[in-house]
Amino acid sequence: MKLKFLGTGTSQGIPVIGCKCEVCTSDNPKNRRFRSSAMITSESGRKILIDCGPDFRQQMILNNEDHLDAILLTHEHNDHVIGLDDVRPLIFRNRKDMPLYCQKRVAEEVKSRFSYAFAEVRYPGAPSFELHEINSDFSLFDVDIKPVHVLHHKLEIVGFKIRNLAYITDASYISPQEKENLMNLDFLILNCIRKTEPHPAHFILEDILTLHSELKPRKLYLTHISHMFGLHDVEEALLPDGIHLATDGLVLEF
């Protein structure tokens, strides 16, 4: 099974519009980050997308991805859902509604923002979705998925644990109970918006170091990274053993 990072940036992406900092003006492709998203490819070749933000179309084209079987949504913020309209070519090719798996609150937001996709009489070119509410562990094709409930400031969102890998983005708190489910993983993926200055809704590097010590993953990858974190090659070299900055296009096998 594989996970490919389609995007590892924050809601503004990198480069940030109009920013002239050394990260945003860097020629190193590792410093260019689409909005956070990942693609799971199962052993049978099924494609499961985690989050569908505004860069979805470019992410799929640049990664030569041309198929999708289902979408998991962590939460309803635009940088994680607003690309759903761009799923249309895949829906038309599959000739069936695209399955979306998310919390009930998120499903209601999707129906509100993309009301035309749920109309009784749909415009011929509109997308169509099949909503599935996440309540507990579930199986999708040949993949067993465990939701991980975390807080993004005061908003409850979900990450996903699959086998010995967990993908968590936009978190600022993980409960002791959920930490028990994240111990000793081969791969733990966590958001880290910047190195310093506490953020009300996201982990910063100090939080990550504490979680790394507590949870003891074999490898911990950082995603949802802002331009404030610094240049990729410089900061990667300074991180402790076992902690890495994820990059767009990176593939993990698990």
Side-chain angles (χ1 to χ4, degrees):
M1 196 173 296
K2 297 179 181 179
L3 179 144
K4 178 186 284 187
F5 291 95
L6 300 184
T8 56
T10 58
S11 58
Q12 297 184 78
I14 302 175
V16 176
I17 295 172
C19 183
K20 304 301 181 184
C21 76
E22 63 177 358
V23 176
C24 290
T25 56
S26 170
D27 292 330
N28 185 345
K30 293 180 180 180
N31 290 314
R32 294 183 174 268
R33 302 182 185 276
F34 284 130
R35 268 58 74 93
S36 290
S37 177
M39 181 75 81
I40 301 290
T41 304
S42 75
E43 291 182 346
S44 65
R46 296 284 196 166
K47 297 285 187 174
I48 304 170
L49 180 71
I50 304 179
D51 287 336
C52 187
D55 300 317
F56 170 75
R57 176 179 170 276
Q58 293 182 76
Q59 290 168 333
M60 293 291 282
I61 292 171
L62 289 174
N63 286 279
N64 297 312
E65 296 283 357
D66 60 5
H67 182 73
L68 194 56
D69 292 294
I71 301 173
L72 311 179
L73 298 177
T74 59
H75 64 298
E76 67 271 35
H77 287 166
N78 266 4
D79 55 319
H80 297 263
V81 303
I82 209 63
L84 286 172
D85 186 83
D86 284 336
V87 180
R88 284 181 297 148
L90 306 178
I91 295 171
F92 300 157
R93 187 180 306 151
N94 292 346
R95 297 187 178 182
K96 62 180 182 180
D97 299 349
M98 181 62 67
L100 296 183
Y101 289 78
C102 57
Q103 294 171 290
K104 182 178 180 180
R105 180 196 76 237
V106 177
E108 293 302 316
E109 284 288 338
V110 169
K111 286 191 286 186
S112 174
R113 294 182 209 180
F114 299 93
S115 58
Y116 56 92
F118 299 93
E120 289 187 18
V121 180
R122 283 201 301 268
Y123 174 74
S128 56
F129 303 106
E130 178 185 280
L131 291 171
H132 298 267
E133 184 180 338
I134 293 175
N135 291 310
S136 56
D137 298 3
F138 62 100
S139 294
L140 186 53
F141 314 119
D142 52 338
V143 181
D144 294 328
I145 301 172
K146 184 179 187 64
V148 180
H149 296 272
V150 299
L151 289 181
H152 178 30
H153 191 218
K154 297 181 180 180
L155 184 71
E156 183 182 300
I157 73 168
V158 291
F160 300 100
K161 180 182 177 183
I162 302 172
R163 288 186 175 177
N164 55 359
L165 175 147
Y167 180 95
I168 298 170
T169 184
D170 289 62
S172 55
Y173 174 78
I174 304 174
S175 71
Q177 180 180 356
E178 289 292 11
K179 285 180 181 178
E180 288 296 319
N181 295 319
L182 300 174
M183 294 291 296
N184 302 309
L185 296 173
D186 282 347
F187 297 108
L188 176 59
I189 301 159
L190 293 173
N191 61 296
C192 185
I193 197 165
R194 57 198 182 208
K195 292 175 65 178
T196 58
E197 298 180 34
H199 192 285
H202 289 278
F203 291 135
I204 62 169
L205 186 56
E206 181 180 351
D207 304 315
I208 294 297
L209 296 176
T210 299
L211 288 167
H212 182 251
S213 177
E214 288 182 43
L215 303 178
K216 304 184 187 312
R218 184 170 65 87
K219 290 189 177 181
L220 193 158
Y221 283 90
L222 307 184
T223 191
H224 211 286
I225 299 163
S226 80
H227 64 154
M228 295 175 68
F229 199 100
L231 292 167
H232 179 279
D233 289 349
V234 174
E235 301 304 336
E236 172 79 8
L238 296 174
L239 291 173
D241 289 345
I243 303 180
H244 305 276
L245 296 175
T247 55
D248 292 15
L250 176 68
V251 177
L252 305 179
E253 296 191 21
F254 63 103

